[in-house]
Amino acid sequence: MTELPTTTDRKMGLVIDLDTCVGCHACVISCKGWNTENYGAPLSDQDAYGGDPSGTFLNRVHSFEVQPDEGHAQLIHFPKSCLHCEDAPCVTVCPTGASYKRVEDGIVLVNEDNCIGCGLCAWSCPYGARELDLAEGVMKKCTLCVDRIYNENLPEVDRVPSCVRTCPAGARHFGDLGDPNSDVSKLVAERGGMDLMPEMGTKPVNKYLPPRPKDQIEDQIDVLAPLLAPVTEEAGGFMGWLDKALDKLPGGAS
Amino acid sequence: MHPAPSVILFTTLSGLGFGLLAYLGLGFPPVTGWVAFVFYAIAYGLAVGGLLASTFHLGHPERAWRAFTQWKTSWLSREGVCAVAALLVMGLYAIGAVFLETHWTLLGLIGAALSIATVFTTSMIYTQLKTIPRWNMSVTPVMFLSFSLSGGALLAGQESLAPWLLLAAGVVQLAYWHKGDQAFASSGTTMGTATGLGDRGAVRAFEPPHTGSNYLLREFVYVVGRKHIQKLRGIALILGFILPILCLWLPTESSMAKHLMAAVAVLAHIAGIMASRWLFFAQAEHVVGLYYGKR
Ligand code: SF4
Ligand code: SF4
Ligand code: SF4
């Protein structure tokens, strides 16, 4: 049903730390690996080994450069998957009821058996979190690894999304963002977690932790600076006399 | 947005078809018998042909019936419901006109209202999308409705009404372009808000997530042909509105010349609306492009 629930019991989602993400793309690969074999249709590739490869991914890592008014530019790696929005436009636009938001945990899913592949939900998502699979003709999106997080066949340590489990930098956190006392909610409060494109009114559940301010490179250089600084700006003594004498010769610097 | 030929064809033809049906339902012209048959055949050909064309871009056309179920929230679903209802009601009305030489006025009124509602729901599919500022404007439904009503009047042979409606539609078209050109900037969405990093400095896309293309770029980031925009706008205006108005206003002697002029007006109008629709898609920029440093 494409009517959004007014509230959900829990708001399960991800918190992504832009400070610690190293841009290794391990989450991209583990997401594709898990999800191509589990929930729904596989994530197909087209021309995978040819000249123009492309494929369906539920999670992609961008890299941005931020140039402040003063100081050095900073490189920020930026993983992006479905944000499981509370006011998800992708759900309400769906004509078939294939897209829905679960009341129990707020996860936004696609029932692929009902999806006609019209693509309108992908049009309505500001974040590019939905991709139509070219081989299957149905809409694919992040499932928050719904087939892992409650899966009692997996060891408890693995009952988190594949991307979270894989991240070597610990940049992805999973939990209930509706519970103010959960670890993820505390992390968001502590680090000033933010929404992407808040002006779109989607109320994303996933939050992004902004990069921490960097140490000043100038301060560090200062330790050696006294030893490296030029002793005098104007050459004196013999070198000074030579400099002036050479300038006086025809063709010398004026 | 990628200007898919099937969708351009659908919105152009079905808009005209439902426009014509609306006039027929209101009794303009009050045709019966064979003449009515020809009118209804054209109207249904356009409306149904357009609907069929739109199913070509579906991943699973065989499940299309499911699209009638979510009318409570989805404009696409509402469009489907309205279109089928309009075609059924007007079908009954047509049976009366063609075979029984009668006009069931109330049925015609309902059919006309449903036909116009269909065009409105089509326009709302695009207008509702906040992600595409150029569509997310109140003038978008006005444009779809004015095109459908003026094209419908042209097809229904309403010689005195059609030029004025075409003139109005041309003005709406200009207003749409004018407002649309400012829409993205005034939406307030930038790479800064998209990444949440805007308050730290100037954000630049440094590296895309993948070396190849993907669904998002193919579907939403269409930049081909943008340099021809002014030319295409001129073509759309001249063919869509100016030429048909001239054809209708030009004094003609024989009825033969008159019919020829009407045919030229209709064909020019269709070509012009298609050019305008191509621009409607090709120029529409989706905010997701910002993540790729594009628009
Ligand atoms: S991120 Fe996009 S796909 Fe996910 S819930 Fe929000 S609008 Fe829907
Ligand atoms: S592509 Fe599928 S899930 Fe998306 S709006 Fe269309 S029917 Fe619904
Ligand atoms: S939660 Fe699962 S489906 Fe979503 S991005 Fe992570 S690995 Fe992919």
Side-chain angles (χ1 to χ4, degrees):
Chain A
M1 276 298 144
T2 55
E3 276 169 280
L4 285 167
T6 41
T7 54
T8 55
D9 300 343
R10 287 176 300 151
K11 296 177 187 171
M12 302 310 286
L14 299 177
V15 172
I16 293 173
D17 190 343
L18 297 179
D19 194 62
T20 42
C21 173
V22 292
C24 69
H25 291 242
C27 57
V28 177
I29 303 306
S30 84
C31 170
K32 178 122 174 175
W34 176 265
N35 286 289
T36 204
E37 306 185 330
N38 290 283
Y39 183 97
L43 302 167
S44 71
D45 293 313
Q46 280 72 40
D47 197 19
Y49 304 102
D52 186 22
S54 78
T56 312
F57 287 80
L58 312 182
N59 175 32
R60 294 181 185 262
V61 179
H62 296 249
S63 296
F64 297 104
E65 182 196 76
V66 178
Q67 175 66 62
D69 289 341
E70 269 169 48
H72 299 282
Q74 195 179 349
L75 192 65
I76 292 154
H77 302 293
F78 197 95
K80 189 160 57 59
S81 49
C82 171
L83 297 108
H84 297 280
C85 306
E86 282 181 58
D87 225 333
C90 57
V91 170
T92 51
V93 299
C94 177
T96 62
S99 276
Y100 61 105
K101 186 170 175 71
R102 305 200 331 168
V103 182
E104 60 269 40
D105 51 17
I107 299 179
V108 174
L109 286 177
V110 175
N111 174 354
E112 293 173 9
D113 293 336
N114 285 4
C115 170
I116 55 174
C118 65
L120 193 58
C121 54
W123 291 21
S124 75
C125 170
Y127 312 106
R130 291 178 167 240
E131 301 188 15
L132 191 78
D133 188 84
L134 286 190
E136 293 289 333
V138 294
M139 197 50 74
K140 301 296 298 187
K141 68 175 294 299
C142 160
T143 64
L144 207 63
C145 287
V146 68
D147 46 2
R148 285 177 69 97
I149 56 179
Y150 305 116
N151 191 336
E152 297 192 345
N153 296 323
L154 295 176
E156 203 167 339
V157 64
D158 284 331
R159 286 181 216 156
V160 291
S162 185
C163 54
V164 173
R165 184 81 177 93
T166 299
C167 179
R172 299 178 76 101
H173 306 269
F174 165 71
D176 180 5
L177 286 141
D179 170 7
N181 296 316
S182 67
D183 287 349
V184 280
S185 294
K186 284 186 201 150
L187 194 60
V188 169
E190 194 182 305
R191 294 273 307 280
M194 58 188 183
D195 287 348
L196 304 185
M197 290 195 213
E199 71 278 9
M200 285 282 157
T202 51
K203 294 203 242 145
V205 168
N206 284 14
K207 299 284 183 251
Y208 282 75
L209 305 180
R212 296 181 175 94
K214 289 286 178 241
D215 293 343
Q216 290 302 310
I217 296 175
E218 284 79 2
D219 295 347
Q220 292 170 0
I221 285 178
D222 269 355
V223 181
L224 289 176
L227 302 174
L228 296 172
V231 180
T232 168
E233 299 295 332
E234 279 292 318
F238 174 71
M239 288 309 285
W241 170 81
L242 189 64
D243 190 40
K244 281 187 198 119
L246 287 173
D247 276 354
K248 279 190 190 124
L249 289 177
S254 58
Chain B
M1 300 295 292
H2 171 67
S6 61
V7 178
I8 293 177
L9 212 62
F10 154 63
T11 55
T12 308
L13 297 186
S14 73
L16 276 173
F18 283 109
L20 177 55
L21 280 179
Y23 284 95
L24 292 173
L26 295 174
F28 300 112
V31 281
T32 52
W34 271 109
V35 187
F37 181 80
V38 173
F39 268 108
Y40 284 103
I42 293 173
Y44 273 84
L46 292 170
V48 178
L51 284 180
L52 284 180
S54 75
T55 57
F56 290 148
H57 82 288
L58 295 181
H60 280 277
E62 78 282 4
R63 299 178 189 156
W65 62 270
R66 289 191 188 275
F68 298 116
T69 58
Q70 302 301 312
W71 49 270
K72 273 194 202 158
T73 64
S74 165
W75 282 105
L76 182 52
S77 188
R78 287 173 196 160
E79 181 202 41
V81 172
C82 277
V84 169
L87 290 174
L88 287 178
V89 172
M90 284 307 291
L92 279 181
Y93 184 75
I95 289 174
V98 174
F99 300 106
L100 307 172
E101 310 259 327
T102 53
H103 287 152
W104 294 312
T105 316
L106 183 63
L107 207 61
L109 285 181
I110 296 172
L114 285 169
S115 300
I116 291 169
T118 305
V119 177
F120 177 69
T121 51
T122 305
S123 73
M124 285 310 291
I125 296 171
Y126 304 105
T127 308
Q128 67 176 337
L129 297 171
K130 269 195 194 158
T131 49
I132 302 165
R134 199 183 272 277
W135 293 351
N136 188 225
M137 307 189 292
S138 46
V139 63
T140 308
V142 180
M143 179 172 77
F144 274 72
L145 286 169
S146 69
F147 284 15
S148 172
L149 288 178
S150 57
L154 195 61
L155 286 174
Q158 302 300 304
E159 284 157 49
S160 47
L161 186 64
W164 296 107
L165 287 177
L166 283 166
L167 199 65
V171 172
V172 172
Q173 171 72 92
L174 285 173
Y176 173 82
W177 285 334
H178 179 71
K179 282 205 78 178
D181 287 345
Q182 299 148 14
F184 205 103
S186 55
S187 77
T189 299
T190 61
M191 276 179 84
T193 66
T195 59
L197 299 169
D199 48 3
R200 320 177 142 244
V203 185
R204 185 169 77 90
F206 185 77
E207 222 178 11
H210 35 76
T211 51
S213 190
N214 67 11
Y215 168 75
L216 301 169
L217 289 171
R218 284 189 298 265
E219 185 83 356
F220 301 129
V221 189
Y222 184 84
V223 290
V224 184
R226 285 205 186 151
K227 63 175 184 288
H228 297 305
I229 278 165
Q230 290 310 332
K231 265 184 239 161
L232 278 164
R233 284 184 175 181
I235 292 174
L237 265 190
I238 292 170
L239 289 181
F241 311 103
I242 299 173
L243 196 63
I245 294 174
L246 289 180
C247 285
L248 292 176
W249 273 346
L250 223 60
T252 41
E253 302 292 314
S254 67
S255 79
M256 177 70 195
K258 217 171 155 181
H259 276 108
L260 202 70
M261 281 302 194
V264 172
V266 167
L267 290 179
H269 179 72
I270 294 178
I273 298 302
M274 286 214 183
S276 161
R277 234 4 91 70
W278 188 89
L279 284 167
F280 180 76
F281 286 95
Q283 273 206 287
E285 299 144 319
H286 194 292
V287 293
V288 77
L290 294 169
Y291 288 107
Y292 292 84
K294 296 179 180 167
R295 266 183 59 177

